[in-house]
Amino acid sequence: MKLLESRVRAEGHALDERVLLVDSFLNHQVDPELMLEIGKEFARLFAEDGITRVVTVESSGIAPATMTALVMSLPLVIMKKYPQRRNQEGLLETEVYSFTKNQPYILTVKREFIRPGDRVLLIDDFLANGEAAFGAIRLIEAAGAAACGVGAVVCKSFQPGKGKLLEKGYRVEALADVAFMQKNTIRFVGETL
Amino acid sequence: MKLLESRVRAEGHALDERVLLVDSFLNHQVDPELMLEIGKEFARLFAEDGITRVVTVESSGIAPATMTALVMSLPLVIMKKYPQRRNQEGLLETEVYSFTKNQPYILTVKREFIRPGDRVLLIDDFLANGEAAFGAIRLIEAAGAAACGVGAVVCKSFQPGKGKLLEKGYRVEALADVAFMQKNTIRFVGETL
């Protein structure tokens, strides 16, 4: 998605080889019109997949996921993070390791909001190590639904998440797919030098 | 907003005199078309106030706040919660007590995303005790901006937040304003018996 790559290039900051700051338009300050364009692009990419539900993981994926759900006329389900297991009836839970915070958290969803037979599109702001995506997929599959695709606004494909998802047979669409970063340099997948 | 009151009545569950569960359309499963209608209503209510920026507190306010910012063609700023102070340069911080979790958290925003002279509309999913709203207002005012209004999707006006905000001179608009709850009963402000 050229519009997004341009914004990443103009406003994103590669702090080092791993940390990409896009907080002026994606996850702290948010450009809602860009979010709508992102939603339209995910809707276009997954138009033929019979998606019945959009899912995201709180909290930075909520804005693009809400727009995707709006354009697709589907409900959105926000998976919640807690520091400990809740052991509540009707709640699906899985442990996810956060490389950002260097500690695990418990990802949860109420079983009633993902139904057997649902075809789920997972939307998140970033795909890096894939821990959150695999956690969400475990919950989707535990609910008896199919994880039909992962839509990442920004993917850092030099980190292992995208590769591991593809290897397991999951479809991944990244709207800005970063191949390489170093301080003040960002190169996208498919970009010629 | 009649559409929202109808949804609260049809799908909301008053678990007791204080806890209102609206997680089938507002804060766990989310109806994006309802969020858009909510955004239109906040935009209408604050159309004459020269708002320059929409602010919310992560994470359940993000969906309605993104739609409000979209309809108003304004940037959204998501204030972030952390367990401890971060003491980073350029970061505004304030301690907020969470009655839901019975512990304080640190609410933060980058100073660059709220500028002196900004006229800020604060949008959140719930207004109850007002702790989060007052925390956000402290950060808005510390940034040199004006807190021009608080838009709550659901207000529990039998709890002190709304009254305290009005007393301090802040404008509050609640789209569904709950006057009274008990198990399986919800009564809105202005509703005749």
Side-chain angles (χ1 to χ4, degrees):
Chain A
M1 191 187 178
K2 286 292 162 202
L3 176 67
L4 183 65
E5 287 185 358
S6 307
R7 285 295 284 276
V8 172
R9 192 171 302 289
E11 294 182 43
H13 296 285
L15 298 187
D16 56 30
E17 291 169 19
R18 306 211 150 241
V19 179
L20 176 61
L21 207 66
V22 287
D23 66 358
S24 68
F25 60 93
L26 180 57
N27 50 21
H28 186 6
Q29 185 169 247
V30 176
D31 176 343
E33 277 150 44
L34 179 64
M35 297 303 115
L36 180 59
E37 293 308 312
I38 286 169
K40 287 179 187 170
E41 182 63 5
F42 282 132
R44 188 185 69 77
L45 289 165
F46 291 95
E48 308 300 321
D49 295 270
I51 304 297
T52 61
R53 203 162 289 257
V54 177
V55 163
T56 192
V57 168
E58 68 176 348
S59 69
S60 303
I62 297 175
T66 305
M67 291 303 181
T68 305
L70 180 75
V71 177
M72 298 182 86
S73 298
L74 293 174
L76 169 69
V77 176
I78 301 168
M79 291 179 172
K80 305 277 182 177
K81 294 174 182 172
Y82 292 95
Q84 278 99 31
R85 287 199 176 263
R86 295 166 67 78
N87 299 312
Q88 280 178 11
E89 208 186 333
L91 203 66
L92 298 170
E93 306 190 306
T94 189
E95 186 173 301
V96 174
Y97 189 79
S98 166
F99 282 96
T100 315
K101 298 187 176 170
N102 289 316
Q103 60 184 34
Y105 62 86
I106 305 298
L107 189 66
T108 72
V109 70
K110 271 196 181 177
R111 188 182 281 274
E112 66 187 284
F113 296 141
I114 303 182
R115 291 166 200 161
D118 261 331
R119 295 180 58 81
V120 176
L121 170 59
L122 175 64
I123 299 291
D124 211 349
D125 59 335
F126 266 97
L127 174 59
N129 287 293
E131 295 297 313
F134 275 107
I137 288 171
R138 286 196 296 279
L139 296 182
I140 290 164
E141 294 179 348
C148 295
V150 177
V153 178
V154 179
C155 178
K156 296 187 285 185
S157 59
F158 55 88
Q159 288 183 288
K162 184 181 169 187
K164 290 199 297 195
L165 285 163
L166 294 174
E167 199 173 280
K168 296 276 184 189
Y170 296 106
R171 180 172 166 201
V172 178
E173 296 286 351
L175 301 191
D177 200 351
V178 180
F180 169 83
M181 290 183 356
Q182 63 186 31
K183 196 164 165 61
N184 300 324
T185 302
I186 298 167
R187 195 178 305 150
F188 295 104
V189 170
E191 197 178 22
T192 49
L193 291 184
Chain B
M1 190 185 178
K2 286 292 161 201
L3 176 67
L4 182 66
E5 287 185 358
S6 306
R7 285 295 284 275
V8 172
R9 191 171 300 289
E11 294 182 43
H13 295 285
L15 298 187
D16 56 29
E17 291 169 18
R18 308 212 149 238
V19 180
L20 176 61
L21 208 67
V22 286
D23 67 358
S24 67
F25 60 93
L26 181 56
N27 49 22
H28 186 6
Q29 184 170 248
V30 176
D31 177 344
E33 276 150 43
L34 180 64
M35 296 304 114
L36 180 59
E37 293 307 313
I38 285 169
K40 289 179 187 170
E41 182 65 6
F42 281 132
R44 188 186 68 78
L45 289 165
F46 291 96
E48 307 299 321
D49 296 84
I51 304 297
T52 61
R53 202 162 289 257
V54 177
V55 163
T56 192
V57 169
E58 67 177 349
S59 69
S60 303
I62 297 175
T66 304
M67 292 301 181
T68 304
L70 180 75
V71 177
M72 298 181 87
S73 298
L74 293 175
L76 169 69
V77 177
I78 301 169
M79 292 181 172
K80 305 276 183 180
K81 295 173 182 172
Y82 292 95
Q84 278 99 32
R85 287 198 177 263
R86 294 167 67 77
N87 299 313
Q88 281 179 9
E89 207 186 335
L91 203 66
L92 298 170
E93 306 191 303
T94 189
E95 186 173 301
V96 173
Y97 190 78
S98 165
F99 281 98
T100 315
K101 298 186 176 172
N102 288 317
Q103 60 186 32
Y105 62 88
I106 305 298
L107 190 67
T108 73
V109 71
K110 271 195 182 177
R111 187 183 282 274
E112 66 187 284
F113 296 140
I114 303 181
R115 291 166 199 162
D118 261 331
R119 295 179 57 79
V120 177
L121 170 59
L122 174 66
I123 299 290
D124 211 348
D125 60 333
F126 265 96
L127 174 60
N129 287 293
E131 295 296 313
F134 275 107
I137 289 171
R138 287 195 296 278
L139 295 182
I140 291 163
E141 294 179 348
C148 295
V150 177
V153 179
V154 178
C155 177
K156 296 187 286 186
S157 60
F158 55 89
Q159 287 182 289
K162 183 181 169 186
K164 290 200 297 195
L165 285 163
L166 294 173
E167 200 174 279
K168 296 276 185 189
Y170 297 105
R171 180 173 164 200
V172 178
E173 295 287 350
L175 302 191
D177 201 351
V178 180
F180 168 85
M181 288 183 357
Q182 64 186 31
K183 197 164 166 56
N184 301 323
T185 302
I186 298 167
R187 196 178 304 151
F188 295 106
V189 170
E191 196 179 20
T192 49
L193 293 184

